[in-house]
Amino acid sequence: MIVLGIETSCDETSAAVVKLNSIKRCEILSNVVHSQISEHTDYGGVVPEIAARSHIQYIDKVIQRAMNEADCDFNNLDSIAVTSGPGLKGGLLVGVTIAKAISSVTKKPLLGINHLEGHALTIRMVQKVEFPYLLLLVTGGHTQILIVRNVGEYTRLGTTIDDALGEAYDKVAKSLNLGYPGGPIVESMATNKTDYNFKFPRPLINSQELNFSFSGLKTAVRREIEKSIPISKETACNICAEFQDSIIDVLKDKLEGAISCFRDEFKNIDLNVVIAGGVAANKKIFSSIKELSEEKEFKVFVAPKELCSDNAAMIAWAGIERSNAGILETNDVSVRTRWPLDLEGQKVRGAGIKA
Ligand code: KG4
Ligand code: ZN
């Protein structure tokens, strides 16, 4: 099975050709990502209008390059999988429109893929992780803990009630004038910490619920910055370190709660925890959860960095997983800016599209 994946939901224009070979292994034949980072840097975040225009400018070339690198002809494809939500409307429309055009000319089926499902299943492209597993999904737009029961079957245990984790990193970086995207810069600044005598809150820690909140933490960071102006490089590094330590304490606390839920339900199943999404590239977060895994006896998985951030291979792969699971789609794919993975999940006040 050979699938062309197309991803345009945020600030990466991406196309990939992914194959499920005869021994049911995944082969990524190409995975072309055109990043728009330089176009958004001056604004400290993604500007939807600029993103949509850039997707239009590059999408055809990116698809052609992905097909060339994979040495693949459109007629060799079994289907086309496109991100149809959630995400920025302008970008989604570009991807879905070109995918529909390719589908109608080639007469190949079109699969509308949930971007979050792409992140949720990515690990299975590169490692043998069976269902069910626990997923910590941390991106620029979402922060959730879910039970992944099967393809298309998700139970959300917790979500953010305000900012997403990647968004919080980006905003902290913006307050410190460090550039965009903030995650990698804040992580690297934090490694240069020295002694400091301030402490940021650990929002919602030790509360029964498994939801997250990062906006109070962001405000605490801003206050500390205001107190320290003009801010030295050393103070900036310490603020980044304390911010990240707060994040890690919260993530570990919520994960422990989720682990109890998982073990209550799946008494005889070994626990696997998968960290996915752009923030999963953070080495300090991974090593802290790895430490927890030794203490609590579970296995932790994370995909290689280039598959953690937005890319079309994960969208093609989700298409392959859905086809294999017999989840049939119609060609009538529409754009959904809000599209929760857990459709039965309770509404969470404040979460909005982040649920
Ligand atoms: O999944 P992703 O590529 O796009 C969305 O679907 O949102 O995630 C992008 C987010 C950005 O907010 C970026 O700052 C964050 O992932 N990120 C990181 C790191 N690398 C990327 N956050 C923390 N540490 C990192 N090393
Ligand atoms: Zn993403």
Side-chain angles (χ1 to χ4, degrees), residues 115 119 139 310 314:
H115 178 86
H119 280 303
T139 76
D310 288 351
M314 70 179 192

Side-chain angles (χ1 to χ4, degrees), residues 283-335:
K283 292 199 184 65
K284 183 81 194 289
I285 292 178
F286 177 76
S287 62
S288 308
I289 295 177
K290 183 93 186 122
E291 267 171 37
L292 183 71
S293 77
E294 278 146 27
E295 192 189 313
K296 299 273 168 194
E297 297 179 344
F298 60 87
K299 281 202 189 125
V300 54
F301 296 87
V302 67
K305 198 170 163 219
E306 64 279 12
L307 295 177
C308 285
S309 53
D310 288 351
N311 68 90
M314 70 179 192
I315 302 305
W317 175 249
I320 290 174
E321 290 258 42
R322 290 184 81 79
S323 303
N324 266 346
I327 305 175
L328 299 171
E329 307 281 336
T330 70
N331 272 15
D332 191 18
V333 173
S334 58
V335 161

Side-chain angles (χ1 to χ4, degrees), residues 175-200:
S175 309
L176 287 166
N177 282 324
L178 296 175
Y180 172 84
I185 313 170
V186 170
E187 179 182 14
S188 135
M189 297 278 286
T191 58
N192 296 318
K193 73 170 177 178
T194 55
D195 287 339
Y196 55 86
N197 59 5
F198 54 87
K199 190 158 171 83
F200 295 147

